[in-house]
Structures are given as C-alpha cells and as structure tokens.
Amino acid sequence: MGVRLFSILLLVQPLWLTSVDAYPNGKVTESCGSMMPIHGHAPNTSHCPYTLAVNVTKFSSGDYIQVTISGTTYFEGFLLEARNASNPDSDAVGSFILTNPKTTQLLKCGHTPVGNAWPQSVSHTSDARQAKIVVIWIAPQNSPDAVEFLVTVVAHYKTFWVKIPSPVVSQSGITPIPPKPTTPSTTIKTSTPSVLPRPFSSVGCGQQKSCLLDPVGCDPEKDPKCFFLSFAPKGQTVVFELSGPSDGYIAFALSHDTWMGDDDVYLCVRDDSLVDVSAAYVKGRSYPKEASENVLTDVAWRLADGVIQCRFRRHVLVPQDPTRFSLDAQYYLFMAYGEAEYGEVHRHDRQPLISSQQSVINGPAKILTGSRSPLLMKFHSVLMLIAWMLAGSTGTFLASYFKPDWPEKTLFGQKIWFQVHRGLMILTVLLTCVAFTLPFVYRGGWSKRAGAHPYLGCTVLALALLQPIMATLRPPPDSSRRWVFNWLHWGAGTVAEIMAG
C-alpha cells in the first residue's frame, strides 16, 4: 500500500539525502521530545492557520508516505516528527527523505537507535519565510500499528503552534484509530491588557511617585522625546509607568550594580499594533528569558506618535518566581530601548540610562538622575583626551618648534626640549595603556558590536608602543640611516594622533 513512485526520487537526485551537519540553523534537537520552542513564550491557542496532510491512510513497512505542511500564511520555522498514534508522547519513529535540502534538514531524535538507524525529525535550515514544505517519510520495519505526524510551526518568534496533528495512518489490516475529540483551547493569560486613555505625566514626581527622566526635567505628556520611568507603592504592590520614543521596545531593569547582567527586567514590546508587556531575567549578557509565571497585573499600554507607554502593577514579593527581585531592597535602575521584529527584541540602540544611585523601589518618592555613560567609560574618554589632545600634541609641538629656542641648555644630561618631549610622550603611552584596558574591564571582553572603534583603539595602542621601541633603537644623529627613523617616528606618531582624535 503506500506510494513507491517516490523511490524514483532517490535515483534522480541522490544528493537530497544530505547530512544535518551541513546546515548551521534549525538545530533544535533539544526540543525533539516536547516539540516546544525554547523562546520563553507560551504557544498560541487561537485558530491555527497551518495544516499537516498525508497522501495515504494505509501503509506497510518500507512504504514512502508524502507529508505536507502548508498554511494560509508564511512561517519561519518548524519541527516535524512521526509518533506512535496510540502514544503521542513517545519517541519519534521512522526516517525522512528531504525534497528540498536548501530549506529543510534531518535531525536525530529519540533516546535509542532502532536497528542501525536513529529516528529522524525534519526542521528548517534558516528563518527564511516559507509557505509549504513537502517531505517523504519511510515506514520502519517495526512500525507501530498506527502513526500520527506532529508538527510545531513558528510563524514569528512569539507566535507558534505546538504539535499540530495530521490524520492518522494505519498499517494494512489494522482497524483505524478513531479521531480524537477536540477540546476548547484555553489561554494562558489571566487578564486582558487595556489601552491607556492619555500619556503619562511627570506631575507628582518626587511627591507621589519616584521618577527617572531623560532629559532631566522632561514631561512625557508634553515631550514625545522624553524617556520616563516612575514607580509608586500601593499597599503590597508597586505601580510602574514606562514611556519612551521607540518603534520596537522600551525596557527597564533592576540591578544590584551598574553592570549589565543578572538583572530583573521588564519589557514593553511593540508587536504590530499591540504592545506585549512582560517580566524577564537576564543572566550575564544573554538574551532576556521571560518569566514562566504571569507576575504582572493591571497591565495597560498606549501607542501614539512613535512613543511606547505601558503601565503595570507588581507585588513587592513574588515567592513563586525566584528571579523577581524583592521591591523592598534598593537597586540601580537601567532604562533602554531598541528595535523589535514580530515581538522579538534586539540589542538596545544606545547605552542604557543608568541611575546615579540606588533607590528602594518600595520606599519614599524621589526624583532620580542618571547617565548613559558609565564611570569607567568616562575615565576612558578623559584619559584618551589628556593623552592625545594634551600630552601628545604638546610633546609633538615642542619637538617641532622649540629646538632652536633651547639649543644648548641641558637637563639631566640631555637637551631640555628632548627631555620634555620624551616625558610627555611616555605619559601619552602610559595613559593610552590604562585607557585601553577600561572598556575591556567594563564589557568583560571584546565588544563585537562597537563598530570600528575597538580596531582603531588597538591600532593606536600598537603605534603608541612602537614609538618608544623605535626611539630606543634609533641610529645616531650623524648616521646615514637617521632619515629612516625620522620619517617612521614622525609618520607613526602622526597616524596615531589622527586615529586617536
């Protein structure tokens, strides 16, 4: 029974049996059992626009069965498996043949191999949007009496459906399993966010509520470029208000220090014409992991004039979620914004605004100030400014124009102009070395998203260190090769000063 015509496929295009190691994306073997994407979001429970179809209702061991994923809208990812219809929670069974290895790949699923082969599943190779997927399933020799195909389809990062079933296919001579009764779906969220009737206001800041504003003194009701965070204790809860200009998301975090990582985060993310308000936790510099428990109540939001605003209430203590900080303690506040695509946040556009001091969230109202430039990075800028705009430039100026003014005068056995020049240049190198280390201390390593700045910094440091080495090895003033040193010394110093500036 089955369609053996598909065996021709193997003869015409044998390269379609491609190893999964050739594809860099869609390696989701950790989801083989649950078929649940590890996105930190609950699956969609609304009407599913996708279907999973098969071309037969009966099969025998060794048969080829065509399986088709399709829908009324595009999708970005999927995971397809064949399961025992009598026990859908069991391991995957059988293997697949790919009809388009550019967009699909094979994954090993299951805890133990069956015979000489592992059970297989099929997934995507990239997040390129697709409307239809066709693969071929090979029925194993020890196939279950009835098989059901299951697929998880990801439309976007936050929008996905888990374990969409196909019609059950049974072995020849086996009574078909009756279709499962459908049960009405239930939603995960317990409350529906409302829309704010008007913008937030800075009225009451420092009296009824604590506020962090950027620029200082701005009012979100009047200034659409105002970044605004307020919090006010209400009994055993705290009401938060967050506002800022962004097309993607705005967020704030509670932190024990002024370093990003291991923070209690709250996000207001634009998803088309809606705003998703959620709590998350950031471990180290990883992607925010959303809370498994719904800890926010009285959620409301507003989208207008390129500004995202959201308000929510949170209990001071959340014992059921250990990643939620107690609001009775004091924290630094971070406020950031950035791009989002289909509800998935990307790295913030600018350095986060960090409060200048810690504040007790459930404490007295106050007006907070902050800065987007951490203290270490300010020291980096100041040291580089002193090194190259003051010490380096002055040392170069003296060597170029003050030789005739101090022709014979000496200091510690050397001409005065040379001693002053050498001292300023040594100071320049030392300040550059110290300034160079500070960004690495702050970032905890190399920054891959800082553009050309780190590479320019490395070049400046290399040229700065090269200068005293060349000076130590320079030939005597009357040497025929002295001109080589003069040009190299001048050229390296000039290039370093231009790049540092």
Side-chain angles (χ1 to χ4, degrees):
M1 190 71 63
V3 182
R4 300 201 179 262
L5 288 175
F6 285 99
S7 60
I8 300 175
L9 228 70
L10 301 178
L11 299 175
V12 177
Q13 292 182 320
L15 292 178
W16 286 351
L17 292 172
T18 308
S19 169
V20 299
D21 296 333
Y23 299 93
N25 298 318
K27 307 291 188 181
V28 292
T29 51
E30 63 272 20
S31 297
C32 278
S34 65
M35 300 190 71
M36 178 73 178
I38 308 176
H39 291 182
H41 299 277
N44 202 309
T45 55
S46 62
H47 170 72
C48 179
Y50 306 104
T51 58
L52 186 59
V54 292
N55 67 327
V56 295
T57 57
K58 294 286 186 178
F59 74 95
S60 300
S61 295
D63 279 350
Y64 296 87
I65 298 177
Q66 179 179 316
V67 185
T68 303
I69 308 169
S70 61
T72 57
T73 183
Y74 290 100
F75 55 91
E76 296 178 354
F78 71 95
L79 177 62
L80 171 66
E81 295 182 16
R83 299 277 184 95
N84 186 339
S86 300
N87 184 13
D89 294 327
S90 60
D91 288 342
V93 296
S95 58
F96 289 89
I97 299 173
L98 305 180
T99 62
N100 188 350
K102 291 185 178 180
T103 58
T104 57
Q105 63 180 315
L106 302 175
L107 301 178
K108 292 180 181 179
C109 283
H111 297 93
T112 56
V114 179
N116 296 324
W118 284 85
Q120 292 177 331
S121 64
V122 184
S123 72
H124 54 284
T125 59
S126 72
D127 60 358
R129 302 176 71 192
Q130 304 180 71
K132 185 177 182 180
I133 293 292
V134 178
V135 295
I136 310 302
W137 182 72
I138 307 174
Q141 293 299 319
N142 57 344
S143 178
D145 292 343
V147 171
E148 182 179 41
F149 297 92
L150 301 175
V151 66
T152 291
V153 179
V154 178
H156 307 303
Y157 184 77
K158 287 188 176 183
T159 307
F160 55 88
W161 288 261
V162 176
K163 291 185 177 180
I164 303 169
S166 73
V168 174
V169 290
S170 305
Q171 290 206 47
S172 301
I174 301 297
T175 303
I177 297 178
K180 300 175 185 178
T182 58
T183 56
S185 60
T186 58
T187 57
I188 302 297
K189 296 184 178 180
T190 57
S191 60
T192 302
S194 59
V195 178
L196 293 166
R198 62 184 66 86
F200 297 135
S201 173
S202 60
V203 175
C205 286
Q207 300 171 347
Q208 289 86 32
K209 56 187 178 183
S210 297
C211 297
L212 176 62
L213 303 167
D214 182 37
V216 175
C218 67
D219 187 347
E221 187 175 25
K222 302 174 182 178
D223 183 3
K225 296 183 179 180
C226 178
F227 287 93
F228 170 84
L229 170 64
S230 75
F231 46 94
K234 302 290 183 182
Q236 294 302 310
T237 64
V238 175
V239 175
F240 292 89
E241 296 176 337
L242 181 62
S243 173
S246 176
D247 291 328
Y249 72 91
I250 52 174
F252 75 91
L254 309 179
S255 181
H256 295 288
D257 49 41
T258 57
W259 301 78
M260 295 179 62
D262 302 322
D263 303 325
D264 186 3
V265 181
Y266 299 87
L267 302 110
C268 302
V269 185
R270 179 172 183 172
D271 190 357
D272 196 15
S273 60
L274 305 175
V275 175
D276 179 52
V277 183
S278 60
Y281 181 75
V282 174
K283 184 175 179 61
R285 293 184 179 273
S286 61
Y287 189 86
K289 183 178 181 180
E290 290 202 16
S292 56
E293 298 285 341
N294 187 13
V295 298
L296 309 181
T297 59
D298 298 341
V299 176
W301 56 267
R302 183 174 185 268
L303 281 175
D305 302 322
V307 177
I308 299 176
Q309 296 187 322
C310 61
R311 181 178 63 202
F312 60 86
R313 185 188 298 265
R314 208 212 86 174
H315 282 280
V316 174
L317 299 175
V318 185
Q320 71 271 25
D321 188 347
T323 60
R324 302 277 74 78
F325 294 176
S326 167
L327 301 185
D328 281 329
Q330 58 181 4
Y331 306 99
Y332 288 99
L333 292 163
F334 285 62
M335 187 158 49
Y337 69 97
E339 297 297 321
E341 186 177 12
Y342 302 119
E344 179 184 1
V345 301
H346 298 287
R347 184 178 181 270
H348 43 77
D349 292 341
R350 295 176 58 193
Q351 183 72 24
L353 179 71
I354 306 174
S355 62
S356 302
Q357 60 186 11
Q358 291 181 314
S359 178
V360 178
I361 307 302
N362 196 30
K366 61 176 67 174
I367 296 179
L368 305 172
T369 59
S371 171
R372 294 189 183 274
S373 180
L375 188 60
L376 280 178
M377 300 308 294
K378 288 182 178 179
F379 275 121
H380 167 76
S381 302
V382 170
L383 291 178
M384 290 297 288
L385 188 66
I386 295 174
W388 292 98
M389 299 302 291
L390 181 60
S393 298
T394 303
T396 302
F397 185 78
L398 290 176
S400 300
Y401 300 104
F402 276 77
K403 289 181 183 180
D405 295 337
W406 298 324
E408 302 298 333
K409 296 179 181 180
T410 61
L411 179 66
F412 301 114
Q414 296 285 348
K415 294 181 179 181
I416 292 179
W417 74 265
F418 178 76
Q419 292 286 39
V420 175
H421 168 74
R422 181 165 60 181
L424 289 173
M425 292 299 100
I426 291 175
L427 178 62
T428 299
V429 174
L430 293 176
L431 291 176
T432 301
C433 291
V434 175
F436 180 81
T437 62
L438 296 182
F440 288 93
V441 174
Y442 174 72
R443 296 293 302 179
W446 181 269
S447 177
K448 297 180 180 180
R449 300 185 179 92
H453 193 91
Y455 301 97
L456 292 175
C458 290
T459 305
V460 169
L461 179 66
L463 292 173
L465 294 175
L466 182 64
Q467 290 290 68
I469 296 174
M470 287 195 300
T472 303
L473 301 176
R474 71 188 185 278
D478 57 352
S479 172
S480 61
R481 294 175 296 175
R482 180 71 179 202
W483 67 273
V484 178
F485 163 76
N486 290 339
W487 278 105
L488 289 177
H489 189 59
W490 174 85
T494 302
V495 172
E497 190 163 5
I498 292 173
M499 296 179 72

